[in-house]
Amino acid sequence: MNQDMSILTLVLEASAVVQVVMLLLLLVSVASWSVIFSKVSSLKRVRQDNDEFDREFWAGRTLQELYQDATSGKGGPSAPQERIFAAGMREFMKLRERRVAEVGTLLDGARRAMRASYQREMDAIESRLDFLGSVGSVSPYIGLFGTVWGIMHAFTGLANVQQVSLATVAPGIAEALVATAIGLFAAIPAVLAYNRFARDIDRVAIQMESFIEEFSNILARNVSPATPGAADAPRATMGR
């Protein structure tokens, strides 16, 4: 007797527990693809905004002009690197307004402000990356659970059958294995995307850390403890 072994039939005839596992894995897969497309767009925008600000920063304008542009917009700075710059410059100017003339205090304050802003930016950039990692590591085991449960259910149904053949066992095993297949379908793209995004985020982090060091060096070269007004309008071009 011919049996319909299509994927849809196997899913519909699976046990309730296996169907719940399949539904859960499909929902997780849809959610992971949503995160993947969102991260592709957001990381591309972060790189473009950082590169644009980097070009403006080294175009020869003064730090005061760059800071005014960064703080004059309604939505604030658009690039993560620009927000780091604005945080460091803001703290630097506050310390100068308080008549702090010690070079070490000025630079330490600016660096701490930039580091705090850097951590906030990295938290935002890395958001939902842990979800992809969890999907990639957990989905195969969820699918395996569905497979094991389905095979148990299939063999339990054959307990009272006197003659067991491959034709009677195959449908139950096949429908159980669909759960593993769906688990791999959810896990493989999530793992690949996680590894790719992790490399891209590392490059963004290195770029922003390098900017913090370069900007700190610019402030150090333009600040003089003997002349408190020497750093009022330093130019970024002195860094390269």
Side-chain angles (χ1 to χ4, degrees):
M1 184 176 181
N2 294 329
Q3 294 179 333
D4 188 358
M5 297 289 289
S6 65
I7 299 297
L8 179 60
T9 301
L10 293 175
V11 171
L12 294 177
E13 293 183 355
S15 64
V17 174
V18 177
Q19 288 180 341
V20 170
V21 169
M22 293 178 182
L23 178 60
L24 175 62
L25 289 173
L26 287 175
L27 293 176
V28 168
S29 178
V30 171
S32 67
W33 277 107
S34 176
V35 172
I36 289 171
F37 288 126
S38 176
K39 294 300 290 184
V40 168
S41 177
S42 63
L43 285 176
K44 181 179 180 181
R45 185 170 60 252
V46 165
R47 290 193 297 268
Q48 290 176 345
D49 291 344
N50 279 348
D51 290 342
E52 182 179 355
F53 173 74
D54 202 50
R55 288 191 295 269
E56 293 181 1
F57 185 80
W58 299 109
R61 303 173 62 190
T62 65
L63 298 183
Q64 288 284 2
E65 292 173 345
L66 291 170
Y67 179 71
Q68 289 176 358
D69 289 345
T71 56
S72 60
K74 293 182 180 180
S78 60
Q81 196 163 293
E82 187 177 12
R83 287 190 284 269
I84 292 174
F85 161 78
M89 196 67 183
R90 185 183 304 111
E91 183 65 19
F92 178 83
M93 294 175 65
K94 286 181 179 179
L95 293 175
R96 296 305 299 269
E97 290 175 356
R98 297 174 184 174
R99 302 298 181 181
V100 176
E102 185 179 351
V103 176
T105 302
L106 290 170
L107 297 181
D108 287 345
R111 185 184 292 273
R112 284 195 299 270
M114 286 189 288
R115 280 292 173 184
S117 178
Y118 167 81
Q119 291 297 331
R120 290 192 295 270
E121 297 299 331
M122 290 304 301
D123 288 341
I125 293 174
E126 293 175 346
S127 64
R128 296 186 292 178
L129 190 64
D130 55 344
F131 174 76
L132 292 179
S134 298
V135 171
S137 60
V138 174
S139 293
Y141 295 102
I142 298 177
L144 182 60
F145 168 77
T147 296
V148 172
W149 186 276
I151 292 175
M152 290 173 55
H153 183 267
F155 278 104
T156 302
L158 298 173
N160 298 324
V161 178
Q162 294 181 353
Q163 282 189 334
V164 178
S165 64
L166 183 60
T168 57
V169 177
I173 296 178
E175 69 187 29
L177 290 175
V178 173
T180 297
I182 297 177
L184 294 175
F185 176 78
I188 292 174
V191 171
L192 294 176
Y194 178 88
N195 292 333
R196 175 60 185 273
F197 293 151
R199 290 194 299 269
D200 292 343
I201 290 173
D202 285 342
R203 295 191 186 100
V204 172
I206 291 173
Q207 180 185 17
M208 293 193 298
E209 287 179 338
S210 299
F211 171 78
I212 292 175
E213 296 301 322
E214 291 172 336
F215 183 41
S216 298
N217 291 336
I218 291 173
L219 292 178
R221 286 194 294 268
N222 284 274
V223 174
S224 172
T227 55
D232 287 343
R235 294 184 179 273
T237 51
M238 299 186 67
R240 287 185 179 178

